[in-house]
Amino acid sequence: MLQRTSTPIRVGDVVVGGNAPITVQSMTKTDTRDVEATVAQIERLTRAGCEIVRSAVPDMEAANALASIRARISIPIIADIHFDHRLALASIDAGVDGLRLNPGNIRRRTHLQKVVAMAKERQIPIRVGVNGGSMPADYRAGELEPERMVALAMEQIGMLEDMDFGLIKVSLKSSDVLTTIEAYRLIADRIPYPLHLGVTEAGPPSTGGIRNALGIGILLHMGIGDTIRVSISGDPLLEVDNGREILRSLGLAQSGPQLISCPTCGRTTLDVPGLATRLSEYLRDIRIPLRIAVMGCTVNGPGECRSADIGIAGGVDKVMMYRGGTFLRSIPTEQAFEALTQEIASLAAAGSNHVE
Amino acid sequence: MLQRTSTPIRVGDVVVGGNAPITVQSMTKTDTRDVEATVAQIERLTRAGCEIVRSAVPDMEAANALASIRARISIPIIADIHFDHRLALASIDAGVDGLRLNPGNIRRRTHLQKVVAMAKERQIPIRVGVNGGSMPADYRAGELEPERMVALAMEQIGMLEDMDFGLIKVSLKSSDVLTTIEAYRLIADRIPYPLHLGVTEAGPPSTGGIRNALGIGILLHMGIGDTIRVSISGDPLLEVDNGREILRSLGLAQSGPQLISCPTCGRTTLDVPGLATRLSEYLRDIRIPLRIAVMGCTVNGPGECRSADIGIAGGVDKVMMYRGGTFLRSIPTEQAFEALTQEIASLAAAGSNHVE
């Protein structure tokens, strides 16, 4: 991986681009005017590892609510604006840390100038985002979709640059994975700005996770991308979980616990899926790097357990438990979860004893 | 994508490698000796698009059951063997279409020769698979994991080549995504055999889907890989669904229906996740290529709907319905699912009217 290096910007106290770690974003799905619900959702996302959040601003009441929301959360918040420049001005007034706004959607140049002047004064970045599905059908008709998306993005970026504004972040999302990859690849060498990656309108958790892992993951593996947002029709917590897993799997994030568990087969003597799912929830609150293996049998079990901090491998009526890579003891199968969580808790209390 | 071209082999009537389409595999999680349960699971996987299935053979009863299983299923079946060459011989006798067997796990050379001779006579391929977690700890200690995996695979492959056997498929799975990618990348130029891709021990659906999409997807995008198996601690149907979604998203599979749905935000007036999840199940039985968009609001909704065969975008108390890219009519929100499925059924009955 040869990382593309962008000109860093700041979103609140979070640096995006340059050599900063790649960040995970999400978007609230509550009614932004409902401050309580929105704050509660942001807190839940923050605990899961969300580092920047965005909220839709469909009207003035939503813009004004952002002040109360921002006062109660601990991560930067970005206002998502379409068409109405007054919502952008009100959101900046409310203290947001960034705007998601396409200059081309603001009809009058004087209105755009007001927004840009205020954003510059407060040093607030603006994300220009082209969404493949929303491009005018006749825009550069006949050209390929990724080229059309890049051309439209360059026009929008140009409008901000013409006003001497450079706190820009760019996204080029399509609901098609290959189009998304190609669009980002094309623009990567043409602009110095940080890139916000995502595959949009990616469907429910089943397909949304896969499409985003592919689009975001292939680009990150090429060295392209500074911040990511997984898009899923469902609980935004899944967006954050998937985003963090993408970064962790590609070695781009501080690793917390990593759960290794086998797919099971006709040899399995243990309820691996049940145990793995319960453990996965339990591990949410563990912050140290730990490698946990839950294996169904003795074919691959002992091997994986030896390279894990804590591991179990199913046997007949009992499981073999490993700690620090060596066999510890056999325990009855029905005590596996309790035994595992006890060991994990004691390692977590003692700090990391990571085996690598 | 510059596709690596391998020497094709046949697994039953399915070609793997060469210019053949990339296939999706899974593994049964039933007790192989339970013929009814195993056949039922394979039928379910087949309907979901599984093209090759594998079953564990832990004992002679399981090996013998394979004959009854194979007689009742419509896709090739591979016997997963460890250590005991008699299980391999019995499985071939039972009529399996392939073996998953590491030559190094069969202690005596004469035993291995028997298996190889019988496989050659029946023209049954053998998959040699190195699993990172199961390598002996002292094997080439000090070298990097991907190099160690490749070296071990080359030794195992050499044992088969020495017996003049070439119906070989190779896998190099690790539970670590980057190790998996690097191992396959290293071996890709060194052998002519088809590669079976997968990230192993990848955890429950939440992490398993992401890790496999990353490992498999990044390799396929590099042009490496002939057949894939997603590994998940959970229902094998998810493995097939995820595998097919990976291929579809990368333009490597015949596309059936594609569901586009927005992640929702503070503007949303429609239960997009609920609708998308119900539709996703409904679309299982639709075979024609169709692009369906379920969008929460009027910002990106109309645009996505115009590039879909059938689409809805949420408005106030009603949804706007599109067909063939043009606005059709407004319908009450609570009738959205029925209206969508009616339109889909009528398109499916008429054959494809795909808008692209």
Side-chain angles (χ1 to χ4, degrees), chain A residues 29-30 80 82 133-134 175 201 203 211 213-214 233 245 259 261-264 266-267 291 300 303-304, chain B residues 29-30 80 133-134 175 201 203 211 213-214 233 245 259 261-264 266-267 291 300 303-304:
Chain A
K29 304 187 178 186
T30 51
D80 190 271
H82 288 276
S134 303
S175 55
E201 275 91 71
R211 292 182 198 164
L214 291 170
S233 304
E245 183 60 37
L259 178 61
S261 70
C262 81
T264 80
R267 287 184 196 89
R291 191 175 159 95
N300 292 322
E304 285 290 352
Chain B
K29 303 186 179 187
T30 52
D80 190 272
S134 303
S175 55
E201 275 91 71
R211 291 182 199 163
L214 291 170
S233 303
E245 183 61 35
L259 177 61
S261 70
C262 81
T264 79
R267 286 183 197 92
R291 193 176 156 93
N300 292 323
E304 285 290 350

mmCIF file of all heavy atoms in Angstrom, chain A residues 29-30 80 82 133-134 175 201 203 211 213-214 233 245 259 261-264 266-267 291 300 303-304, chain B residues 29-30 80 133-134 175 201 203 211 213-214 233 245 259 261-264 266-267 291 300 303-304:
data_model
loop_
_atom_site.group_PDB
_atom_site.id
_atom_site.type_symbol
_atom_site.label_atom_id
_atom_site.label_comp_id
_atom_site.label_asym_id
_atom_site.label_seq_id
_atom_site.Cartn_x
_atom_site.Cartn_y
_atom_site.Cartn_z
ATOM 1 N N LYS A 29 -29.837 9.014 12.174
ATOM 2 C CA LYS A 29 -31.038 8.647 11.432
ATOM 3 C C LYS A 29 -32.289 9.078 12.187
ATOM 4 O O LYS A 29 -33.402 8.706 11.844
ATOM 5 C CB LYS A 29 -31.011 7.147 11.151
ATOM 6 C CG LYS A 29 -29.724 6.784 10.398
ATOM 7 C CD LYS A 29 -29.625 5.371 9.914
ATOM 8 C CE LYS A 29 -28.301 5.218 9.158
ATOM 9 N NZ LYS A 29 -28.144 3.917 8.526
ATOM 10 N N THR A 30 -32.057 9.842 13.224
ATOM 11 C CA THR A 30 -33.155 10.420 14.001
ATOM 12 C C THR A 30 -33.634 11.691 13.307
ATOM 13 O O THR A 30 -32.993 12.200 12.397
ATOM 14 C CB THR A 30 -32.632 10.817 15.390
ATOM 15 O OG1 THR A 30 -31.442 11.608 15.198
ATOM 16 C CG2 THR A 30 -32.261 9.580 16.197
ATOM 17 N N ASP A 80 -25.559 18.499 7.150
ATOM 18 C CA ASP A 80 -25.820 18.049 5.780
ATOM 19 C C ASP A 80 -26.893 18.946 5.160
ATOM 20 O O ASP A 80 -28.052 18.907 5.565
ATOM 21 C CB ASP A 80 -26.303 16.594 5.830
ATOM 22 C CG ASP A 80 -26.361 15.948 4.468
ATOM 23 O OD1 ASP A 80 -27.415 16.052 3.805
ATOM 24 O OD2 ASP A 80 -25.354 15.347 4.072
ATOM 25 N N HIS A 82 -28.802 20.819 1.766
ATOM 26 C CA HIS A 82 -29.099 20.801 0.334
ATOM 27 C C HIS A 82 -29.928 22.025 -0.036
ATOM 28 O O HIS A 82 -30.899 22.339 0.648
ATOM 29 C CB HIS A 82 -29.834 19.519 -0.059
ATOM 30 C CG HIS A 82 -28.938 18.322 -0.020
ATOM 31 N ND1 HIS A 82 -28.116 17.970 -1.060
ATOM 32 C CD2 HIS A 82 -28.685 17.436 0.967
ATOM 33 C CE1 HIS A 82 -27.428 16.892 -0.735
ATOM 34 N NE2 HIS A 82 -27.744 16.548 0.494
ATOM 35 N N GLY A 133 -26.112 8.630 -8.491
ATOM 36 C CA GLY A 133 -27.525 8.518 -8.825
ATOM 37 C C GLY A 133 -28.244 9.844 -8.953
ATOM 38 O O GLY A 133 -29.339 9.910 -9.503
ATOM 39 N N SER A 134 -27.648 10.909 -8.427
ATOM 40 C CA SER A 134 -28.345 12.191 -8.436
ATOM 41 C C SER A 134 -27.846 13.137 -9.514
ATOM 42 O O SER A 134 -28.269 14.284 -9.570
ATOM 43 C CB SER A 134 -28.190 12.878 -7.077
ATOM 44 O OG SER A 134 -28.658 12.043 -6.068
ATOM 45 N N SER A 175 -23.841 3.869 -6.058
ATOM 46 C CA SER A 175 -24.364 2.631 -5.472
ATOM 47 C C SER A 175 -23.694 1.427 -6.132
ATOM 48 O O SER A 175 -23.847 0.300 -5.666
ATOM 49 C CB SER A 175 -25.887 2.561 -5.625
ATOM 50 O OG SER A 175 -26.255 2.709 -6.980
ATOM 51 N N GLU A 201 -26.242 4.172 -0.884
ATOM 52 C CA GLU A 201 -27.477 3.440 -1.180
ATOM 53 C C GLU A 201 -27.183 1.948 -1.323
ATOM 54 O O GLU A 201 -27.626 1.290 -2.271
ATOM 55 C CB GLU A 201 -28.121 3.992 -2.465
ATOM 56 C CG GLU A 201 -29.004 5.184 -2.219
ATOM 57 C CD GLU A 201 -28.309 6.533 -2.306
ATOM 58 O OE1 GLU A 201 -27.948 6.944 -3.411
ATOM 59 O OE2 GLU A 201 -28.140 7.169 -1.252
ATOM 60 N N GLY A 203 -27.992 -0.623 0.441
ATOM 61 C CA GLY A 203 -28.973 -1.630 0.838
ATOM 62 C C GLY A 203 -28.927 -2.000 2.308
ATOM 63 O O GLY A 203 -28.208 -1.392 3.106
ATOM 64 N N ARG A 211 -20.959 -4.493 0.124
ATOM 65 C CA ARG A 211 -20.637 -3.504 -0.922
ATOM 66 C C ARG A 211 -19.687 -2.434 -0.405
ATOM 67 O O ARG A 211 -18.771 -2.007 -1.104
ATOM 68 C CB ARG A 211 -21.924 -2.852 -1.449
ATOM 69 C CG ARG A 211 -22.790 -3.822 -2.232
ATOM 70 C CD ARG A 211 -24.050 -3.148 -2.784
ATOM 71 N NE ARG A 211 -25.035 -4.159 -3.145
ATOM 72 C CZ ARG A 211 -26.323 -3.931 -3.360
ATOM 73 N NH1 ARG A 211 -26.799 -2.692 -3.264
ATOM 74 N NH2 ARG A 211 -27.146 -4.911 -3.679
ATOM 75 N N ALA A 213 -17.564 -2.757 2.212
ATOM 76 C CA ALA A 213 -16.251 -3.358 2.482
ATOM 77 C C ALA A 213 -15.464 -3.452 1.179
ATOM 78 O O ALA A 213 -14.261 -3.175 1.144
ATOM 79 C CB ALA A 213 -16.405 -4.739 3.114
ATOM 80 N N LEU A 214 -16.142 -3.822 0.091
ATOM 81 C CA LEU A 214 -15.461 -3.944 -1.200
ATOM 82 C C LEU A 214 -15.003 -2.573 -1.706
ATOM 83 O O LEU A 214 -13.825 -2.389 -2.029
ATOM 84 C CB LEU A 214 -16.399 -4.580 -2.234
ATOM 85 C CG LEU A 214 -16.741 -6.052 -2.010
ATOM 86 C CD1 LEU A 214 -17.854 -6.486 -2.958
ATOM 87 C CD2 LEU A 214 -15.509 -6.937 -2.214
ATOM 88 N N SER A 233 -28.830 0.612 5.156
ATOM 89 C CA SER A 233 -30.229 0.866 5.529
ATOM 90 C C SER A 233 -30.492 0.082 6.803
ATOM 91 O O SER A 233 -30.861 -1.088 6.752
ATOM 92 C CB SER A 233 -31.197 0.381 4.443
ATOM 93 O OG SER A 233 -30.912 0.958 3.205
ATOM 94 N N GLU A 245 -14.249 -2.390 11.545
ATOM 95 C CA GLU A 245 -13.740 -3.708 11.154
ATOM 96 C C GLU A 245 -12.938 -3.616 9.847
ATOM 97 O O GLU A 245 -11.922 -4.291 9.687
ATOM 98 C CB GLU A 245 -14.891 -4.705 11.006
ATOM 99 C CG GLU A 245 -14.467 -6.139 10.663
ATOM 100 C CD GLU A 245 -13.559 -6.762 11.717
ATOM 101 O OE1 GLU A 245 -13.752 -6.506 12.919
ATOM 102 O OE2 GLU A 245 -12.622 -7.492 11.324
ATOM 103 N N LEU A 259 -11.872 -11.201 17.380
ATOM 104 C CA LEU A 259 -12.478 -12.510 17.589
ATOM 105 C C LEU A 259 -12.327 -13.365 16.338
ATOM 106 O O LEU A 259 -12.779 -12.997 15.265
ATOM 107 C CB LEU A 259 -13.964 -12.337 17.941
ATOM 108 C CG LEU A 259 -14.757 -13.628 18.134
ATOM 109 C CD1 LEU A 259 -14.178 -14.462 19.277
ATOM 110 C CD2 LEU A 259 -16.224 -13.301 18.421
ATOM 111 N N SER A 261 -13.296 -16.968 14.848
ATOM 112 C CA SER A 261 -14.117 -18.145 15.132
ATOM 113 C C SER A 261 -14.384 -18.904 13.852
ATOM 114 O O SER A 261 -14.519 -18.320 12.786
ATOM 115 C CB SER A 261 -15.420 -17.756 15.841
ATOM 116 O OG SER A 261 -16.288 -17.076 14.976
ATOM 117 N N CYS A 262 -14.423 -20.218 13.964
ATOM 118 C CA CYS A 262 -14.492 -21.052 12.765
ATOM 119 C C CYS A 262 -15.916 -21.107 12.230
ATOM 120 O O CYS A 262 -16.879 -20.842 12.941
ATOM 121 C CB CYS A 262 -13.962 -22.450 13.051
ATOM 122 S SG CYS A 262 -15.142 -23.529 13.854
ATOM 123 N N PRO A 263 -16.057 -21.440 10.943
ATOM 124 C CA PRO A 263 -17.385 -21.477 10.322
ATOM 125 C C PRO A 263 -18.183 -22.699 10.752
ATOM 126 O O PRO A 263 -19.365 -22.792 10.445
ATOM 127 C CB PRO A 263 -17.071 -21.514 8.838
ATOM 128 C CG PRO A 263 -15.721 -22.122 8.719
ATOM 129 C CD PRO A 263 -14.982 -21.696 9.957
ATOM 130 N N THR A 264 -17.573 -23.614 11.448
ATOM 131 C CA THR A 264 -18.140 -24.913 11.850
ATOM 132 C C THR A 264 -18.346 -25.824 10.644
ATOM 133 O O THR A 264 -18.414 -25.368 9.518
ATOM 134 C CB THR A 264 -19.480 -24.825 12.634
ATOM 135 O OG1 THR A 264 -20.559 -24.624 11.736
ATOM 136 C CG2 THR A 264 -19.434 -23.749 13.693
ATOM 137 N N GLY A 266 -19.178 -30.464 9.809
ATOM 138 C CA GLY A 266 -19.694 -31.714 10.354
ATOM 139 C C GLY A 266 -18.881 -32.274 11.512
ATOM 140 O O GLY A 266 -19.267 -33.280 12.104
ATOM 141 N N ARG A 267 -17.748 -31.645 11.807
ATOM 142 C CA ARG A 267 -16.932 -32.105 12.934
ATOM 143 C C ARG A 267 -17.255 -31.389 14.239
ATOM 144 O O ARG A 267 -16.783 -31.780 15.304
ATOM 145 C CB ARG A 267 -15.444 -31.824 12.658
ATOM 146 C CG ARG A 267 -14.803 -32.703 11.633
ATOM 147 C CD ARG A 267 -13.309 -32.414 11.504
ATOM 148 N NE ARG A 267 -12.846 -33.016 10.272
ATOM 149 C CZ ARG A 267 -12.859 -32.407 9.098
ATOM 150 N NH1 ARG A 267 -13.267 -31.162 9.008
ATOM 151 N NH2 ARG A 267 -12.461 -33.047 8.027
ATOM 152 N N ARG A 291 -6.478 -11.281 21.178
ATOM 153 C CA ARG A 291 -6.905 -12.172 20.118
ATOM 154 C C ARG A 291 -7.595 -13.367 20.768
ATOM 155 O O ARG A 291 -6.984 -14.096 21.550
ATOM 156 C CB ARG A 291 -5.659 -12.601 19.336
ATOM 157 C CG ARG A 291 -5.923 -13.314 18.040
ATOM 158 C CD ARG A 291 -4.555 -13.546 17.359
ATOM 159 N NE ARG A 291 -4.653 -14.617 16.412
ATOM 160 C CZ ARG A 291 -4.884 -14.438 15.114
ATOM 161 N NH1 ARG A 291 -5.013 -13.213 14.637
ATOM 162 N NH2 ARG A 291 -4.980 -15.466 14.306
ATOM 163 N N ASN A 300 -8.375 -27.601 13.258
ATOM 164 C CA ASN A 300 -7.681 -26.313 13.246
ATOM 165 C C ASN A 300 -7.671 -25.637 14.613
ATOM 166 O O ASN A 300 -7.003 -24.632 14.804
ATOM 167 C CB ASN A 300 -8.330 -25.366 12.228
ATOM 168 C CG ASN A 300 -8.124 -25.837 10.796
ATOM 169 O OD1 ASN A 300 -7.064 -26.354 10.455
ATOM 170 N ND2 ASN A 300 -9.142 -25.668 9.967
ATOM 171 N N GLY A 303 -4.263 -25.190 16.726
ATOM 172 C CA GLY A 303 -3.370 -24.267 16.022
ATOM 173 C C GLY A 303 -3.779 -22.822 16.213
ATOM 174 O O GLY A 303 -2.965 -21.980 16.596
ATOM 175 N N GLU A 304 -5.054 -22.545 15.969
ATOM 176 C CA GLU A 304 -5.530 -21.162 16.137
ATOM 177 C C GLU A 304 -5.422 -20.730 17.599
ATOM 178 O O GLU A 304 -5.120 -19.592 17.896
ATOM 179 C CB GLU A 304 -6.984 -21.020 15.660
ATOM 180 C CG GLU A 304 -7.177 -21.011 14.153
ATOM 181 C CD GLU A 304 -6.655 -19.731 13.466
ATOM 182 O OE1 GLU A 304 -6.281 -18.767 14.157
ATOM 183 O OE2 GLU A 304 -6.604 -19.728 12.222
ATOM 184 N N LYS B 29 -22.832 -27.662 7.565
ATOM 185 C CA LYS B 29 -22.543 -27.548 8.985
ATOM 186 C C LYS B 29 -23.346 -28.576 9.777
ATOM 187 O O LYS B 29 -23.394 -28.546 10.999
ATOM 188 C CB LYS B 29 -22.814 -26.112 9.441
ATOM 189 C CG LYS B 29 -21.975 -25.148 8.601
ATOM 190 C CD LYS B 29 -22.014 -23.713 9.008
ATOM 191 C CE LYS B 29 -21.090 -22.926 8.060
ATOM 192 N NZ LYS B 29 -20.914 -21.539 8.454
ATOM 193 N N THR B 30 -23.996 -29.447 9.045
ATOM 194 C CA THR B 30 -24.731 -30.552 9.655
ATOM 195 C C THR B 30 -23.749 -31.681 9.974
ATOM 196 O O THR B 30 -22.601 -31.669 9.542
ATOM 197 C CB THR B 30 -25.742 -31.093 8.639
ATOM 198 O OG1 THR B 30 -25.027 -31.364 7.420
ATOM 199 C CG2 THR B 30 -26.828 -30.079 8.356
ATOM 200 N N ASP B 80 -14.051 -33.400 2.748
ATOM 201 C CA ASP B 80 -13.012 -32.723 3.535
ATOM 202 C C ASP B 80 -12.365 -33.737 4.475
ATOM 203 O O ASP B 80 -12.992 -34.207 5.425
ATOM 204 C CB ASP B 80 -13.667 -31.592 4.339
ATOM 205 C CG ASP B 80 -12.657 -30.673 4.987
ATOM 206 O OD1 ASP B 80 -12.217 -30.958 6.125
ATOM 207 O OD2 ASP B 80 -12.305 -29.663 4.351
ATOM 208 N N GLY B 133 -3.301 -20.615 10.710
ATOM 209 C CA GLY B 133 -3.332 -20.910 12.137
ATOM 210 C C GLY B 133 -2.915 -22.320 12.486
ATOM 211 O O GLY B 133 -2.610 -22.618 13.640
ATOM 212 N N SER B 134 -2.892 -23.212 11.491
ATOM 213 C CA SER B 134 -2.584 -24.609 11.796
ATOM 214 C C SER B 134 -1.167 -25.008 11.423
ATOM 215 O O SER B 134 -0.805 -26.175 11.534
ATOM 216 C CB SER B 134 -3.558 -25.534 11.044
ATOM 217 O OG SER B 134 -4.872 -25.205 11.382
ATOM 218 N N SER B 175 -6.692 -16.198 9.116
ATOM 219 C CA SER B 175 -7.766 -15.416 9.727
ATOM 220 C C SER B 175 -7.442 -13.927 9.633
ATOM 221 O O SER B 175 -8.285 -13.088 9.932
ATOM 222 C CB SER B 175 -7.983 -15.833 11.180
ATOM 223 O OG SER B 175 -6.779 -15.731 11.905
ATOM 224 N N GLU B 201 -11.830 -18.668 9.611
ATOM 225 C CA GLU B 201 -12.066 -18.335 11.021
ATOM 226 C C GLU B 201 -12.386 -16.854 11.201
ATOM 227 O O GLU B 201 -11.829 -16.169 12.061
ATOM 228 C CB GLU B 201 -10.838 -18.722 11.861
ATOM 229 C CG GLU B 201 -10.833 -20.159 12.292
ATOM 230 C CD GLU B 201 -10.122 -21.119 11.329
ATOM 231 O OE1 GLU B 201 -8.893 -21.061 11.246
ATOM 232 O OE2 GLU B 201 -10.817 -21.939 10.699
ATOM 233 N N GLY B 203 -15.071 -15.273 12.044
ATOM 234 C CA GLY B 203 -15.985 -14.807 13.070
ATOM 235 C C GLY B 203 -17.449 -14.853 12.673
ATOM 236 O O GLY B 203 -17.805 -15.350 11.612
ATOM 237 N N ARG B 211 -14.618 -9.280 6.730
ATOM 238 C CA ARG B 211 -13.250 -9.786 6.512
ATOM 239 C C ARG B 211 -13.148 -10.554 5.205
ATOM 240 O O ARG B 211 -12.157 -10.448 4.478
ATOM 241 C CB ARG B 211 -12.823 -10.677 7.683
ATOM 242 C CG ARG B 211 -12.615 -9.894 8.970
ATOM 243 C CD ARG B 211 -12.148 -10.795 10.123
ATOM 244 N NE ARG B 211 -12.387 -10.123 11.399
ATOM 245 C CZ ARG B 211 -12.398 -10.727 12.582
ATOM 246 N NH1 ARG B 211 -12.164 -12.038 12.667
ATOM 247 N NH2 ARG B 211 -12.625 -10.049 13.683
ATOM 248 N N ALA B 213 -15.200 -10.208 2.532
ATOM 249 C CA ALA B 213 -15.372 -9.281 1.404
ATOM 250 C C ALA B 213 -14.047 -8.584 1.113
ATOM 251 O O ALA B 213 -13.660 -8.403 -0.043
ATOM 252 C CB ALA B 213 -16.457 -8.262 1.709
ATOM 253 N N LEU B 214 -13.330 -8.207 2.169
ATOM 254 C CA LEU B 214 -12.049 -7.524 1.989
ATOM 255 C C LEU B 214 -11.013 -8.453 1.366
ATOM 256 O O LEU B 214 -10.402 -8.134 0.343
ATOM 257 C CB LEU B 214 -11.527 -7.003 3.336
ATOM 258 C CG LEU B 214 -12.313 -5.848 3.966
ATOM 259 C CD1 LEU B 214 -11.834 -5.599 5.390
ATOM 260 C CD2 LEU B 214 -12.176 -4.576 3.137
ATOM 261 N N SER B 233 -19.116 -17.906 11.035
ATOM 262 C CA SER B 233 -19.669 -18.703 12.125
ATOM 263 C C SER B 233 -21.163 -18.437 12.161
ATOM 264 O O SER B 233 -21.614 -17.509 12.825
ATOM 265 C CB SER B 233 -19.050 -18.310 13.469
ATOM 266 O OG SER B 233 -17.655 -18.430 13.457
ATOM 267 N N GLU B 245 -22.885 -11.823 -3.504
ATOM 268 C CA GLU B 245 -22.876 -10.357 -3.509
ATOM 269 C C GLU B 245 -21.479 -9.816 -3.850
ATOM 270 O O GLU B 245 -21.342 -8.811 -4.553
ATOM 271 C CB GLU B 245 -23.351 -9.814 -2.150
ATOM 272 C CG GLU B 245 -23.441 -8.291 -2.063
ATOM 273 C CD GLU B 245 -24.416 -7.683 -3.061
ATOM 274 O OE1 GLU B 245 -25.458 -8.304 -3.340
ATOM 275 O OE2 GLU B 245 -24.115 -6.599 -3.593
ATOM 276 N N LEU B 259 -30.723 -4.556 -5.202
ATOM 277 C CA LEU B 259 -31.513 -3.641 -4.373
ATOM 278 C C LEU B 259 -30.636 -2.495 -3.901
ATOM 279 O O LEU B 259 -29.625 -2.700 -3.240
ATOM 280 C CB LEU B 259 -32.098 -4.398 -3.173
ATOM 281 C CG LEU B 259 -32.896 -3.566 -2.176
ATOM 282 C CD1 LEU B 259 -34.105 -2.915 -2.839
ATOM 283 C CD2 LEU B 259 -33.347 -4.430 -1.001
ATOM 284 N N SER B 261 -30.740 0.812 -1.601
ATOM 285 C CA SER B 261 -31.590 1.513 -0.645
ATOM 286 C C SER B 261 -30.753 2.432 0.203
ATOM 287 O O SER B 261 -29.611 2.131 0.515
ATOM 288 C CB SER B 261 -32.379 0.525 0.222
ATOM 289 O OG SER B 261 -31.544 -0.165 1.109
ATOM 290 N N CYS B 262 -31.306 3.571 0.539
ATOM 291 C CA CYS B 262 -30.520 4.618 1.194
ATOM 292 C C CYS B 262 -30.355 4.306 2.676
ATOM 293 O O CYS B 262 -31.107 3.539 3.259
ATOM 294 C CB CYS B 262 -31.158 5.982 0.984
ATOM 295 S SG CYS B 262 -32.515 6.344 2.095
ATOM 296 N N PRO B 263 -29.328 4.893 3.296
ATOM 297 C CA PRO B 263 -29.067 4.622 4.712
ATOM 298 C C PRO B 263 -30.058 5.347 5.619
ATOM 299 O O PRO B 263 -30.054 5.085 6.820
ATOM 300 C CB PRO B 263 -27.652 5.154 4.914
ATOM 301 C CG PRO B 263 -27.471 6.193 3.861
ATOM 302 C CD PRO B 263 -28.281 5.743 2.683
ATOM 303 N N THR B 264 -30.871 6.222 5.086
ATOM 304 C CA THR B 264 -31.809 7.096 5.813
ATOM 305 C C THR B 264 -31.066 8.154 6.625
ATOM 306 O O THR B 264 -29.884 7.991 6.928
ATOM 307 C CB THR B 264 -32.783 6.346 6.768
ATOM 308 O OG1 THR B 264 -32.104 6.012 7.980
ATOM 309 C CG2 THR B 264 -33.370 5.107 6.113
ATOM 310 N N GLY B 266 -32.098 12.243 8.859
ATOM 311 C CA GLY B 266 -33.138 13.053 9.493
ATOM 312 C C GLY B 266 -34.210 13.540 8.538
ATOM 313 O O GLY B 266 -35.184 14.152 8.963
ATOM 314 N N ARG B 267 -34.028 13.287 7.237
ATOM 315 C CA ARG B 267 -35.047 13.693 6.261
ATOM 316 C C ARG B 267 -36.051 12.590 5.951
ATOM 317 O O ARG B 267 -37.057 12.835 5.297
ATOM 318 C CB ARG B 267 -34.373 14.027 4.923
ATOM 319 C CG ARG B 267 -33.633 15.315 4.884
ATOM 320 C CD ARG B 267 -33.077 15.574 3.487
ATOM 321 N NE ARG B 267 -32.059 16.593 3.609
ATOM 322 C CZ ARG B 267 -30.782 16.341 3.793
ATOM 323 N NH1 ARG B 267 -30.350 15.100 3.836
ATOM 324 N NH2 ARG B 267 -29.932 17.329 3.938
ATOM 325 N N ARG B 291 -33.071 -3.596 -11.282
ATOM 326 C CA ARG B 291 -32.504 -2.658 -10.334
ATOM 327 C C ARG B 291 -33.666 -1.990 -9.603
ATOM 328 O O ARG B 291 -34.509 -1.335 -10.218
ATOM 329 C CB ARG B 291 -31.677 -1.640 -11.114
ATOM 330 C CG ARG B 291 -30.767 -0.781 -10.299
ATOM 331 C CD ARG B 291 -29.959 0.093 -11.266
ATOM 332 N NE ARG B 291 -29.494 1.271 -10.619
ATOM 333 C CZ ARG B 291 -28.297 1.372 -10.033
ATOM 334 N NH1 ARG B 291 -27.452 0.362 -10.085
ATOM 335 N NH2 ARG B 291 -27.938 2.475 -9.429
ATOM 336 N N ASN B 300 -31.934 12.522 -2.817
ATOM 337 C CA ASN B 300 -31.328 11.614 -3.792
ATOM 338 C C ASN B 300 -32.337 10.643 -4.403
ATOM 339 O O ASN B 300 -32.013 9.923 -5.340
ATOM 340 C CB ASN B 300 -30.206 10.800 -3.129
ATOM 341 C CG ASN B 300 -29.023 11.667 -2.757
ATOM 342 O OD1 ASN B 300 -28.670 12.591 -3.478
ATOM 343 N ND2 ASN B 300 -28.419 11.387 -1.606
ATOM 344 N N GLY B 303 -33.375 10.889 -8.309
ATOM 345 C CA GLY B 303 -32.221 10.551 -9.158
ATOM 346 C C GLY B 303 -31.985 9.055 -9.214
ATOM 347 O O GLY B 303 -31.868 8.465 -10.285
ATOM 348 N N GLU B 304 -31.926 8.411 -8.044
ATOM 349 C CA GLU B 304 -31.706 6.959 -8.016
ATOM 350 C C GLU B 304 -32.866 6.221 -8.686
ATOM 351 O O GLU B 304 -32.672 5.220 -9.354
ATOM 352 C CB GLU B 304 -31.527 6.449 -6.574
ATOM 353 C CG GLU B 304 -30.181 6.754 -5.919
ATOM 354 C CD GLU B 304 -29.003 5.964 -6.520
ATOM 355 O OE1 GLU B 304 -29.216 5.038 -7.322
ATOM 356 O OE2 GLU B 304 -27.856 6.314 -6.178
#
